[in-house]
Amino acid sequence: MKRLSLVMILSALTFHNASSQTYIGRNFWQPFISVQYGSMNFGDVGTMYHHILQTYRDEGVPVQIQTDFGRTVELGGGAMYSPIQSMWLGVSVTYSYSPAFSDYRDFAGTLRINGSVRSTQLVFMGGYTLARVAGCPIRAFVKPGYSSFSAVITENLQIPSSAGTIYSRSRSTSTGGPYLEMTVGAWIPVGPLQLSVELGYRGVFIGQSAYSLETVPADPATPNSQVYWNVADSGFMLTTSIGLPLY
């Protein structure tokens, strides 16, 4: 009975110490910079771009894609704060860019059909350390926020005898909406720094948005006007970041 009592007391002390280590209060900051790369879906923006290309191809102009929408690079920075062991709070600002380039050249001139999607996100972060593998914490994060979003698709035709563009048409929009990203990743100590690798999914919930259609010179068949398309910004992202722990 004495042995059983001793085991129970030791077990209770061990659990108490582990629990105390998990929930002990502290003052821990970590500013960081991050780079993300992802494959995104932009809704009608990407669909419209491919529709424009197909329209030219149907007319006998074999426009080729050099870079398609979807490949997205994102740069950002922010700071995380750990008030207690295993819990993380933070804020970050990020900027993302996804281009699209297509062109066709022959003796008559050059046709360029380009586009871009740009967005800026203000993101709040909440995370929790799930486990440790080889001394490296595995953390899950939920990152809500707000994203401002702009998209443009342009068509430009030039001929050798002209000093500039003789025809252009553009579709553009600027809007914004709620942002949500969820990630899981590992934090690896590299000297005094923390290197993280996260995989996650993000979405910007915008929906239907007006875009401006402008043609120069003005085309009576397609007057400058506002029409609507469904805008999205969602997909999987791979994130790497470097942070400097500050105790």
Side-chain angles (χ1 to χ4, degrees):
M1 180 63 69
K2 290 182 179 180
R3 289 182 180 179
L4 180 59
S5 300
L6 180 60
V7 170
M8 293 177 65
I9 292 172
L10 290 175
S11 298
L13 289 174
T14 302
F15 176 79
H16 174 74
N17 289 335
S19 178
S20 298
Q21 289 297 318
T22 301
Y23 296 101
I24 187 170
R26 62 178 182 169
N27 186 29
F28 185 98
W29 289 88
Q30 183 169 300
F32 64 89
I33 57 174
S34 64
V35 178
Q36 297 192 49
Y37 179 81
S39 177
M40 312 304 290
N41 169 40
F42 300 117
D44 287 349
V45 178
T47 302
M48 179 69 72
Y49 186 75
H50 284 268
H51 173 74
I52 294 170
L53 294 178
Q54 190 58 48
T55 299
Y56 281 101
R57 291 167 182 164
D58 292 342
E59 295 296 326
V61 182
V63 184
Q64 299 297 319
I65 297 177
Q66 281 75 51
T67 300
D68 201 356
F69 273 128
R71 300 172 184 175
T72 302
V73 176
E74 185 169 293
L75 303 176
M80 295 192 299
Y81 172 64
S82 179
I84 60 175
Q85 187 87 5
S86 299
M87 180 179 291
W88 292 85
L89 304 173
V91 63
S92 69
V93 177
T94 59
Y95 172 80
S96 65
Y97 173 66
S98 179
F101 301 110
S102 302
D103 64 22
Y104 174 75
R105 295 179 175 87
D106 63 15
F107 67 93
T110 301
L111 172 65
R112 292 185 175 89
I113 305 171
N114 299 331
S116 67
V117 173
R118 306 169 191 264
S119 62
T120 302
Q121 287 78 231
L122 173 62
V123 181
F124 300 95
M125 308 164 62
Y128 187 79
T129 301
L130 302 174
R132 290 182 178 271
V133 177
C136 300
I138 308 298
R139 297 175 184 146
F141 274 90
V142 176
K143 306 175 183 179
Y146 182 84
S147 176
S148 63
F149 179 98
S150 66
V152 61
I153 299 174
T154 62
E155 305 165 57
N156 293 297
L157 176 62
Q158 296 176 314
I159 59 175
S161 59
S162 174
T165 301
I166 64 168
Y167 173 80
S168 68
R169 180 163 55 188
S170 68
R171 298 166 173 83
S172 61
T173 187
S174 294
T175 184
Y179 175 99
L180 180 63
E181 182 176 346
M182 293 177 288
T183 65
V184 175
W187 271 252
I188 306 166
V190 181
L193 303 176
Q194 285 273 322
L195 172 67
S196 73
V197 180
E198 297 175 74
L199 180 64
Y201 186 86
R202 84 173 195 194
V204 180
F205 309 99
I206 298 173
Q208 195 173 69
S209 176
Y211 71 87
S212 298
L213 174 62
E214 299 182 356
T215 304
V216 179
D219 184 354
T222 57
N224 297 344
S225 61
Q226 270 197 341
V227 286
Y228 289 84
W229 54 11
N230 285 313
V231 176
D233 184 2
S234 59
F236 286 95
M237 302 290 290
L238 178 65
T239 305
T240 61
S241 65
I242 296 177
L244 177 63
L246 300 175
Y247 295 89

